[in-house]
Amino acid sequence: MKKLATLISAALLSSTVSVSAQAQDTMAIVLSTLNNPFFVTMKDGAEAKAKELGYELIVLDSQNDPSKELSNIEDLTVRGVKAILINPTDSDAVSNAIRMANRSNIPVLTLDRGASRGDVVSHIASDNVVGGEMAGNYIVEKVGMKAKVIQLEGIAGTSAARERGEGFMNAVKGSEMDVLASQPADFDRTKGLNVMENLLAANPEVQAVFAQNDEMALGALRAVQASGKDVMIVGFDGTDDGIAAVKRGKLSATIAQQPDLIGALGIETADQVLKGMAVEEYIPVPLKVITE
């Protein structure tokens, strides 16, 4: 009996140590919104890699609100997570949240969207400037050098919107494309529909649309279909819905990121940081043009 009691005590102690160690091995991912399939896929990739590497992963949604984002980071610093992966709501506004984590000596990694200020150990993202250029060049290839185009922009202040727009305008400058209008629709499908309806009415001669993400592209598609016009639409992100629309011949193309890989690489890189390994300040994730 005494031996059995000793074995049970040892087992319980081992279990306690294991649970304690597991509790310490906690990371967090803070996403700008989970109301977008792209970021849901990013979360899924991060969760799968965290499970593989033996980490508990806390997932928080900032609901596209910088104040909610700051509150999320404050919560995580109190909980003492070992690393924070953040997909910023706004590249400038996120700086206060990152500095808060910095003061708590918690390493911060940014995913997809960068941060203007604060100490970030690594940024994992596709090259959005190159992606914007790829979209513009694809339109020129399919419609011609003098294509009349409309651009639907993402959320103002995000690095993704700024860089994709920069890349697209690089392609415009390298051709004779005529940008009839360029207006924000905030990476949102419903706003993409509403904005596109207005722009179609004001610019009936439009031949092509570049939407800075697939959600806006799918909204624009509904507006174009309702108008009966023949307008080519190119999206960005390579979400499941976006790729499906391309395969059905509804969208002409999408510039495909790999959000699951971005999430997985974020966890993998954070793991390396916690193990004292050197990591790259910027880890690029390849892009490709998906067409039917």
Side-chain angles (χ1 to χ4, degrees):
M1 285 294 292
K2 185 175 181 181
K3 184 176 181 181
L4 179 60
T6 302
L7 288 172
I8 291 172
S9 297
L12 287 171
L13 178 60
S14 174
S15 174
T16 303
V17 170
S18 176
V19 170
S20 175
Q22 187 175 4
Q24 291 178 347
D25 293 337
T26 303
M27 293 186 190
I29 181 168
V30 181
L31 296 153
S32 57
T33 177
L34 284 173
N35 193 31
N36 183 323
F38 180 80
F39 298 120
V40 173
T41 304
M42 185 184 294
K43 171 189 74 72
D44 291 345
E47 286 179 327
K49 181 58 70 171
K51 183 176 181 180
E52 177 189 325
L53 296 178
Y55 288 96
E56 177 188 349
L57 184 65
I58 298 169
V59 178
L60 297 178
D61 181 358
S62 298
Q63 301 168 0
N64 278 328
D65 182 352
S67 62
K68 174 69 172 171
E69 181 176 68
L70 183 62
S71 175
N72 282 338
I73 297 299
E74 184 175 19
D75 175 47
L76 293 172
T77 59
V78 171
R79 293 165 76 168
V81 298
K82 295 300 180 181
I84 296 174
L85 286 67
I86 187 165
N87 160 244
T89 58
D90 180 282
S91 299
D92 290 328
V94 75
S95 301
N96 289 331
I98 291 175
R99 285 168 172 164
M100 182 182 291
N102 293 160
R103 288 193 293 271
S104 296
N105 296 315
I106 301 171
V108 176
L109 300 86
T110 50
L111 306 179
D112 183 55
R113 301 172 182 171
S116 302
R117 293 175 296 279
D119 183 14
V120 174
V121 294
S122 187
H123 177 56
I124 298 99
S126 302
D127 190 325
N128 284 304
V129 175
V130 170
E133 290 176 355
M134 290 166 70
N137 291 336
Y138 179 82
I139 290 173
V140 168
E141 177 188 334
K142 296 300 178 182
V143 181
M145 290 286 284
K146 297 184 178 181
K148 298 181 185 299
V149 300
I150 285 173
Q151 178 179 213
L152 295 182
E153 305 167 14
I155 297 172
T158 61
S159 60
R162 182 175 61 251
E163 291 165 4
R164 291 172 194 181
E166 178 186 340
F168 180 68
M169 294 310 295
N170 287 344
V172 169
K173 292 171 187 173
S175 67
E176 297 177 52
M177 274 194 289
D178 182 7
V179 180
L180 303 175
S182 184
Q183 190 170 322
D186 298 344
F187 292 134
D188 182 83
R189 190 179 301 199
T190 301
K191 289 182 181 178
L193 165 63
N194 296 334
V195 171
M196 195 66 212
E197 284 178 337
N198 294 331
L199 292 179
L200 277 171
N203 303 278
E205 71 275 33
V206 63
Q207 297 173 294
V209 174
F210 167 51
Q212 290 182 358
N213 81 337
D214 286 342
E215 287 295 287
M216 293 189 297
L218 292 166
L221 173 62
R222 287 177 58 192
V224 168
Q225 288 174 328
S227 73
K229 295 181 182 295
D230 182 18
V231 180
M232 188 182 86
I233 303 173
V234 177
F236 200 118
D237 278 344
T239 62
D240 290 344
D241 285 352
I243 292 172
V246 170
K247 297 305 180 185
R248 293 197 308 270
K250 303 300 183 182
L251 295 183
S252 183
T254 178
I255 310 302
Q257 299 196 79
Q258 302 180 68
D260 54 339
L261 181 57
I262 292 174
L265 283 174
I267 296 294
E268 202 170 84
T269 306
D271 175 56
Q272 293 170 351
V273 170
L274 294 178
K275 290 175 177 173
M277 300 168 63
V279 299
E280 295 293 330
E281 290 183 7
Y282 170 56
I283 299 174
V285 180
L287 289 164
K288 59 182 176 180
V289 180
I290 293 183
T291 64
E292 58 179 321

